Amino acid sequence: MNGQSVSVKDVAQRANVAVGTVSNVLNHPERVAEEKRKRVLAAIRELGFVRNDAARQLRAGRSRTIGLIVLDVGNPFFTSVARAAEDAAAETGSAVVLGNSGQDEDRESHYIDLFEEQRVQGLLISPVGDVSDRVMALRDRGVPAVLVDRIADPTLFSSVSVDDTVGGYLAARHLLELGRRRLAFIGGPDSIRQVHDRRLGAERAVAETPGAGMEVFEEKELTVLAGRAAGDRLAARSKAERPDGIFCANDLLALGVMQSLTMLRDLRIPDDVALIGYDDIDFASSAVVPLSSIRQPTRLLGQTAVELLAEEISHPDKHRQVVYEPELVARASTVGA
Ligand code: RIB
C-alpha cells in the first residue's frame, strides 16, 4: 500500500490500539501512554502512513477556505490581489472567499464575523482602520490573520504591504523633475493609511524643492466619479490658480480627473496639467492619454499573503512583515507622447 492509501484504521489494527488512540498520537501525543505511543509510531513507519491534511483540517472544524476582505472590490487593484491570492490558495487545495468592506468599518466587522462563523482557515484583510483588537480576538479563537496592503505591528500579526511613503515621494518628485511647481494631491479619506502615507511622501518631495507647493484635496471615495468631481473643481479655476501637476492617490481618481480635464474641457494633459496616479491598474496604460502611475506588485501581494497565512497557521507565535517597493511608470500623461 502507498502512504496515501493507508488509513488511520490500518495503523490502529497494526498497533493493536483503538482508532481514537492513533488520532491522539497524531494530534495530542501527550495524552497517550509512552508504550502505546511507540507502538503507533512504529506502525505508522512500517505502513508508510501519511496523514490526510485536508481531512485533518475538516476534522478540526476548519474549512478549506480563506476569507479575504478588501477595501473596494470595484478597484482593479484589489481584484488583481484577490486573483493572485486565489491562485496561490488553489495550489494547496484551498479556495478564497472575497468580502468587500467598501471602506465601511461596520461592513468589515460583519465580514469578520461571517468568516469566523464559516470557520475559515484564516483571514486576509486590507483593513479600513485599526482592526488589531478585532483580529487579535479572532486569532485567539483559532482564526489566524494576515494584513494585506497594510504593515502590521510585528508583535501581533504578519503583513504584506508596499512602502506607500516611498510611492508618494516618487510620484511628486516625478512631477517636480518635469518642472511642475503648483502641485495638487487628490486623495481619499486620510484615515486610510495608504492615502495618508502617499500624501506624506509627496509632501516630503515638495519640501525638498524650492518654489514648489502642493494643495491637498481629500475626497470621500477613491473612485472615478470622485476624480471627475475633483477635476471639475480644478478645471473651473483660472490658469494662474490651476495646478500644473496633479498626483492622485490611486489610478481610479486619476482616470476621473483625466476625463474631466480632457473630455469635458479643452485642457491638455500633460501640456497644461501633468497627471499621475497610483497602482498601475490595467486601465492606466490604455487610457485616452496613457496614465503615468506608481506600480504596486499586486500578484506578489496576493501570493505572499497566502504564504504568510500558511506560516501563521503552522507557527502562530511567529510573525513576518514583507514590504515591497513601488515603481514609477512614466507614460504620456506626464512626459508627453
Ligand atoms: O483603496 C485605496 C488604495 O489603497 C487602492 O487604490 C490601492 O492603492 C490600495 O493600496
Side-chain angles (χ1 to χ4, degrees):
M1 285 186 278
N2 67 41
Q4 294 295 346
S5 64
V6 176
S7 70
V8 170
K9 191 176 177 185
D10 298 324
V11 174
Q13 282 173 347
R14 172 64 69 93
N16 192 27
V17 299
V19 169
T21 304
V22 176
S23 177
N24 277 335
V25 169
L26 292 172
N27 298 298
H28 306 287
E30 72 285 355
R31 296 179 187 171
V32 183
E34 186 176 358
E35 189 276 330
K36 271 190 180 180
R37 191 168 66 241
K38 282 182 176 176
R39 284 213 319 267
V40 171
L41 293 174
I44 286 174
R45 274 194 308 277
E46 290 158 14
L47 294 173
F49 171 75
V50 176
R51 80 186 313 174
N52 177 338
D53 182 52
R56 182 174 66 84
Q57 293 278 2
L58 291 174
R59 261 204 310 281
R62 282 274 171 268
S63 68
R64 298 293 285 171
T65 54
I66 294 170
L68 168 62
I69 303 174
V70 298
L71 281 170
D72 175 8
V73 73
N75 184 338
F77 166 83
F78 288 110
T79 44
S80 179
V81 171
R83 198 165 45 212
E86 194 179 32
D87 292 348
E91 289 173 19
T92 66
S94 300
V96 171
V97 177
L98 182 61
N100 175 42
S101 69
Q103 294 177 196
D104 178 290
E105 289 187 292
D106 291 338
R107 278 177 64 177
E108 180 180 76
S109 182
H110 168 71
Y111 272 110
I112 293 174
D113 290 341
L114 186 70
F115 285 139
E116 183 174 10
E117 288 158 19
Q118 297 298 315
R119 304 288 289 160
V120 295
Q121 279 186 81
L123 176 68
L124 306 177
I125 181 168
S126 180
V128 177
D130 181 358
V131 286
S132 301
D133 293 344
R134 192 80 172 67
V135 175
M136 267 195 298
L138 194 73
R139 184 197 56 198
D140 294 346
R141 292 194 294 270
V143 180
V146 172
L147 298 195
V148 180
D149 199 32
R150 177 75 52 79
I151 196 158
D153 176 334
T155 65
L156 298 179
F157 315 108
S158 294
S159 71
V160 58
S161 59
V162 174
D163 189 330
D164 285 317
T165 308
V166 167
Y169 180 85
L170 290 175
R173 192 181 64 182
H174 177 56
L175 295 173
L176 295 163
E177 285 174 345
L178 293 169
R180 310 299 164 120
R181 289 295 179 268
R182 293 194 318 278
L183 303 192
F185 173 76
I186 299 177
D190 206 65
S191 57
I192 295 180
R193 179 67 182 276
Q194 293 93 319
V195 175
H196 176 82
D197 288 353
R198 290 167 200 173
R199 174 177 61 79
L200 289 186
E203 285 175 346
R204 183 160 63 85
V206 169
E208 292 173 355
T209 310
M214 185 172 79
E215 283 183 85
V216 175
F217 299 91
E218 184 171 337
E219 304 301 322
K220 287 189 174 50
E221 296 181 322
L222 291 116
T223 60
V224 171
L225 285 181
R228 284 276 292 267
D232 290 349
R233 288 195 299 272
L234 292 176
R237 292 185 178 183
S238 66
K239 183 173 172 58
E241 293 297 311
R242 218 167 30 223
D244 58 5
I246 299 176
F247 165 34
C248 293
N250 75 0
D251 288 345
L252 296 181
L253 282 169
L255 292 171
V257 169
M258 184 182 289
Q259 287 176 12
S260 167
L261 299 188
T262 58
M263 292 162 68
L264 304 177
R265 292 168 184 82
D266 59 354
L267 288 172
R268 297 164 302 159
I269 293 177
D271 305 70
D272 298 316
V273 183
L275 177 65
I276 185 167
Y278 203 107
D279 293 337
D280 196 25
I281 59 176
D282 294 344
F283 300 114
S285 59
S286 58
V288 65
V289 180
L291 178 65
S292 296
S293 188
I294 302 296
R295 177 174 296 157
Q296 298 204 69
T298 51
R299 284 210 64 81
L300 272 175
L301 285 169
Q303 288 166 355
T304 307
V306 172
E307 288 163 17
L308 290 170
L309 185 62
E311 292 174 17
E312 286 281 339
I313 290 172
S314 51
H315 299 90
D317 54 340
K318 289 183 183 170
H319 311 300
R320 188 155 67 93
Q321 314 308 314
V322 177
V323 181
Y324 290 110
E325 290 298 313
E327 174 195 357
L328 169 64
V329 180
R331 298 193 178 101
S333 71
T334 53
V335 298

